[in-house]
Amino acid sequence: MKKNIDIVPYRTSWEEDFQSEKKAIDQLLPEKAAIYHIGSTSIPNMFAMPIIDLMIVVTCLKKFDEFSDVLKTLGYEQLGDQSKQDRRFFIKCDDNCSFHIQVYAKGNAAVERNIAFREYMIAHTDQAMEYIKLKKELATNKSEYKRGRKEEFLDEIDRKASKWKK
């Protein structure tokens, strides 16, 4: 298993990749759902792991579970969710893992948190630059990248974004 995390400069293709995947998902889902581009790849000029994060917001997770298998036709695999956020989590891996999907029910606090984070980082380039610096520093150690200082930084940004959004 690789010990380092691949952090790459922003790619303009990320937004196009998101739009294309969103369209494919939209055509498969039997009910209308909001689909958002979230995470670092949704923030212009942000360095990121080259994985597009999508967030799907549905009316009811139990109802979504009845038809979630349609995502398999696009190459997605459903993973367990250890985050305790009451969500569904999917990955799409071919040669590389290229897409992650988080599915939440409307009203879940994580929906607003993810959107607020993205909007805050777009509006506050100084904070985005700090995040890039931290990501590059932590990318040499996969276990450190996933927790510790990065988690603390993100928690602080979430607090700031929540206040800023109000």
Side-chain angles (χ1 to χ4, degrees):
M1 182 152 99
K2 231 169 43 166
K3 195 169 182 169
N4 290 353
I5 299 283
D6 291 327
I7 301 294
V8 300
Y10 181 76
R11 297 177 183 162
T12 55
S13 63
W14 287 338
E15 183 59 28
E16 295 162 11
D17 295 341
F18 162 73
Q19 291 296 338
S20 176
E21 198 71 5
K22 175 184 176 188
K23 184 177 179 182
I25 292 168
D26 248 343
Q27 291 174 346
L28 287 177
L29 295 180
E31 69 175 37
K32 186 78 174 134
I35 303 174
Y36 299 92
H37 187 185
I38 60 169
S40 293
T41 60
S42 70
I43 302 166
N45 303 313
M46 177 59 69
F47 280 55
M49 290 189 295
I51 300 170
I52 309 297
D53 290 305
L54 293 96
M55 178 174 65
I56 300 176
V57 182
V58 296
T59 53
C60 174
L61 279 179
K62 289 192 187 307
K63 189 172 180 182
F64 172 80
D65 289 340
E66 295 173 11
F67 57 80
S68 65
D69 279 355
V70 298
L71 294 175
K72 287 181 181 177
T73 64
L74 293 175
Y76 284 95
E77 173 187 357
Q78 185 168 0
L79 300 181
D81 184 21
Q82 296 84 30
S83 71
K84 298 178 184 163
Q85 292 184 26
D86 200 20
R87 69 173 183 179
R88 304 300 182 262
F89 186 71
F90 297 82
I91 62 170
K92 184 177 190 176
C93 293
D94 27 42
D95 292 338
N96 295 308
C97 289
S98 50
F99 292 93
H100 288 173
I101 296 177
Q102 299 176 54
V103 182
Y104 294 99
K106 189 176 182 178
N108 187 312
V111 172
E112 286 304 314
R113 185 180 46 76
N114 280 307
I115 294 169
F117 174 83
R118 179 192 65 203
E119 298 304 313
Y120 181 85
M121 293 301 266
I122 290 170
H124 295 86
T125 54
D126 58 325
Q127 297 287 282
M129 294 306 291
E130 275 186 56
Y131 190 31
I132 289 169
K133 183 179 173 187
L134 179 62
K135 285 175 147 204
K136 286 179 176 180
E137 185 180 317
L138 296 176
T140 57
N141 186 321
K142 196 172 198 170
S143 62
E144 273 300 306
Y145 186 84
K146 300 282 183 186
R147 61 184 193 303
R149 288 182 26 225
K150 181 179 174 215
E151 196 172 293
E152 290 170 14
F153 182 85
L154 293 177
D155 287 346
E156 180 62 25
I157 293 298
D158 283 342
R159 281 191 288 282
K160 289 178 181 179
S162 177
K163 288 179 186 175
W164 174 77
K165 187 147 173 128
K166 290 178 184 179

